[in-house]
Amino acid sequence: MLVLVFDPFRGAAGDMIVGSLLDCGANRKSVVQAMQSVIAEPEITSVTRAGIRAIKVNTRVAPTHRTLADVMKRLNDAAGNIPPEALAMAKRVFMRINDAEELVHGSYAHFHEVGADDAIADVIGACTAFHSLGVEAVAVMPVTLGWGSGTGSHGTFPIPAPATAAILSRAGLPVRSGKEEGELCTPTGAALLAEFSTISATDLGSYTIKTVGYGAGTRDPIDVPNVIRAMVIETTGDNMPLQSDMVDILETNVDDVSGELIAHTITRFVEKGARDASAIPILMKKGRPGFLIRIICAQDTSAELAELMAQELGTLGIRCIPAV
């Protein structure tokens, strides 16, 4: 099995993750095209950080404050230049950031640094690069956070930033403070790692390394290379757990909907992110023929898909079987 392993031994930021994936062999043309859908062509250069060669990605745009709706509109406007699976992943990344911001600041929170065009481009680029590698699982080694305090749109804050801490806590990723003062892991970097992660680094067993890539940050301290490392590895099968994730199952019974409408509705479900959708012939009470409509979906899309199911089919009740 091909596994992507991130080693954020000096933290993580969106541009550093993009650089590491490009250095690992991600499709550069696709990544640049995706990022150019929201910014001018990014500057991609080879640099050294404390003696290690790495890829530096520079978006060269000014900061902008946006709401989640603004960010989603930017993503939808760029959809023609982004692979659908990468676009869906990018939206989930920003949902993670939004959930963390609302947890910290309350409802109607605004994105600040993470709503800027450079952050949107970094997330799009990272998700596009990730999907171009074709890996089957992702492991994230302990994330170095830094310590002390920093300054942002909300004034002085403790490190890790409250949103970063919330994202990492919800994802259950392993962390460490490290010896260096300052913010090493940004909310965007944390959300990307949280979205990518599927297995624990402790479950890798033995493996062979296929490619190694380094993504560079802006600063260049002399003692610790300011990079994040990514590796594509192939496991031997020793001690590897079966890969799994959690889904919701939505079901409803209908007996007064035409086959044409059911086929149309199943197509709508898939377009809105359903993992699978089906219609199963059933015999209902009093011998009436009908259909069991079933959707398998990610947990963060189940509410939207249940609403769509009610709108399209006119059903009065939907069974939700959560966390399967």
Side-chain angles (χ1 to χ4, degrees), residues 96-142:
R96 289 178 183 271
I97 297 173
N98 183 72
D99 291 346
E101 293 282 357
E102 288 192 347
L103 181 65
V104 173
H105 303 296
S107 298
Y108 308 109
H110 275 67
F111 290 161
H112 293 282
E113 291 84 354
V114 293
D117 282 344
D118 62 339
I120 298 174
D122 286 340
V123 170
I124 289 173
C127 293
T128 302
F130 169 75
H131 280 283
S132 76
L133 287 174
V135 296
E136 301 167 78
V138 179
V140 179
M141 301 180 73

Side-chain angles (χ1 to χ4, degrees), residues 245-321:
D245 59 6
M246 304 299 288
V247 296
D248 287 353
I249 297 176
L250 307 178
E251 293 182 346
T252 191
N253 296 351
V254 296
D255 63 354
D256 58 352
V257 180
S258 68
E260 291 81 3
L261 180 57
I262 289 176
H264 164 76
T265 304
I266 287 176
T267 300
R268 289 290 312 279
F269 293 153
V270 174
E271 290 174 347
K272 289 295 184 179
R275 301 279 184 87
D276 192 20
S278 58
I280 305 167
I282 57 174
L283 191 64
M284 302 174 63
K285 62 184 180 181
K286 298 182 180 179
R288 294 201 309 269
F291 287 93
L292 168 64
I293 311 298
R294 175 179 292 158
I295 299 174
I296 300 174
C297 61
Q299 293 175 295
D300 57 358
T301 61
S302 62
E304 180 182 3
L305 285 167
E307 183 177 354
L308 180 62
M309 180 182 279
Q311 290 173 345
E312 293 287 346
L313 300 174
T315 180
L316 299 179
I318 296 167
R319 297 180 292 277
C320 178
I321 307 169

Side-chain angles (χ1 to χ4, degrees), residues 20-323:
S20 69
L21 294 175
L22 287 172
D23 204 26
C24 252
N27 188 312
R28 179 165 174 161
K29 182 178 179 181
S30 297
V31 171
V32 170
Q33 178 179 322
M35 295 180 72
Q36 278 187 285
S37 60
V38 292
I39 61 170
E41 183 175 354
E43 181 183 34
I44 300 174
T45 56
S46 179
V47 300
T48 58
R49 295 290 182 260
I52 291 182
R53 185 203 57 79
I55 296 297
K56 178 74 175 73
V57 178
N58 186 2
T59 54
R60 300 174 293 185
V61 293
T64 307
H65 295 181
R66 291 193 175 91
T67 64
L68 176 64
D70 295 332
V71 172
M72 291 300 180
K73 183 178 185 304
R74 293 285 283 162
L75 292 174
N76 287 329
D77 290 344
N81 297 306
I82 307 169
E85 62 273 15
L87 179 62
M89 175 175 274
K91 290 181 177 180
R92 293 196 299 270
V93 169
F94 279 106
M95 286 301 302
R96 289 178 183 271
I97 297 173
N98 183 72
D99 291 346
E101 293 282 357
E102 288 192 347
L103 181 65
V104 173
H105 303 296
S107 298
Y108 308 109
H110 275 67
F111 290 161
H112 293 282
E113 291 84 354
V114 293
D117 282 344
D118 62 339
I120 298 174
D122 286 340
V123 170
I124 289 173
C127 293
T128 302
F130 169 75
H131 280 283
S132 76
L133 287 174
V135 296
E136 301 167 78
V138 179
V140 179
M141 301 180 73
V143 184
T144 303
L145 303 176
W147 59 275
S149 61
T151 304
S153 299
H154 293 286
T156 301
F157 58 86
I159 293 173
T164 301
I167 293 167
L168 294 170
S169 173
R170 289 186 170 188
L173 292 181
V175 300
R176 58 191 175 199
S177 60
K179 299 179 180 180
E180 189 170 350
E181 185 176 4
E183 184 181 31
L184 302 183
C185 181
T186 67
T188 303
L192 282 167
L193 294 179
E195 179 63 30
F196 291 158
S197 177
T198 60
I199 62 174
S200 171
T202 59
D203 294 329
L204 289 176
S206 58
Y207 55 84
T208 57
I209 299 174
K210 296 300 183 182
T211 60
V212 181
Y214 295 90
T218 301
R219 290 179 289 174
D220 187 15
I222 60 174
D223 52 345
V224 180
N226 185 18
V227 299
I228 182 173
R229 180 168 63 189
M231 298 188 298
V232 176
I233 66 173
E234 185 169 15
T235 61
T236 63
D238 297 341
N239 304 318
M240 277 298 294
L242 291 174
Q243 187 181 357
S244 65
D245 59 6
M246 304 299 288
V247 296
D248 287 353
I249 297 176
L250 307 178
E251 293 182 346
T252 191
N253 296 351
V254 296
D255 63 354
D256 58 352
V257 180
S258 68
E260 291 81 3
L261 180 57
I262 289 176
H264 164 76
T265 304
I266 287 176
T267 300
R268 289 290 312 279
F269 293 153
V270 174
E271 290 174 347
K272 289 295 184 179
R275 301 279 184 87
D276 192 20
S278 58
I280 305 167
I282 57 174
L283 191 64
M284 302 174 63
K285 62 184 180 181
K286 298 182 180 179
R288 294 201 309 269
F291 287 93
L292 168 64
I293 311 298
R294 175 179 292 158
I295 299 174
I296 300 174
C297 61
Q299 293 175 295
D300 57 358
T301 61
S302 62
E304 180 182 3
L305 285 167
E307 183 177 354
L308 180 62
M309 180 182 279
Q311 290 173 345
E312 293 287 346
L313 300 174
T315 180
L316 299 179
I318 296 167
R319 297 180 292 277
C320 178
I321 307 169

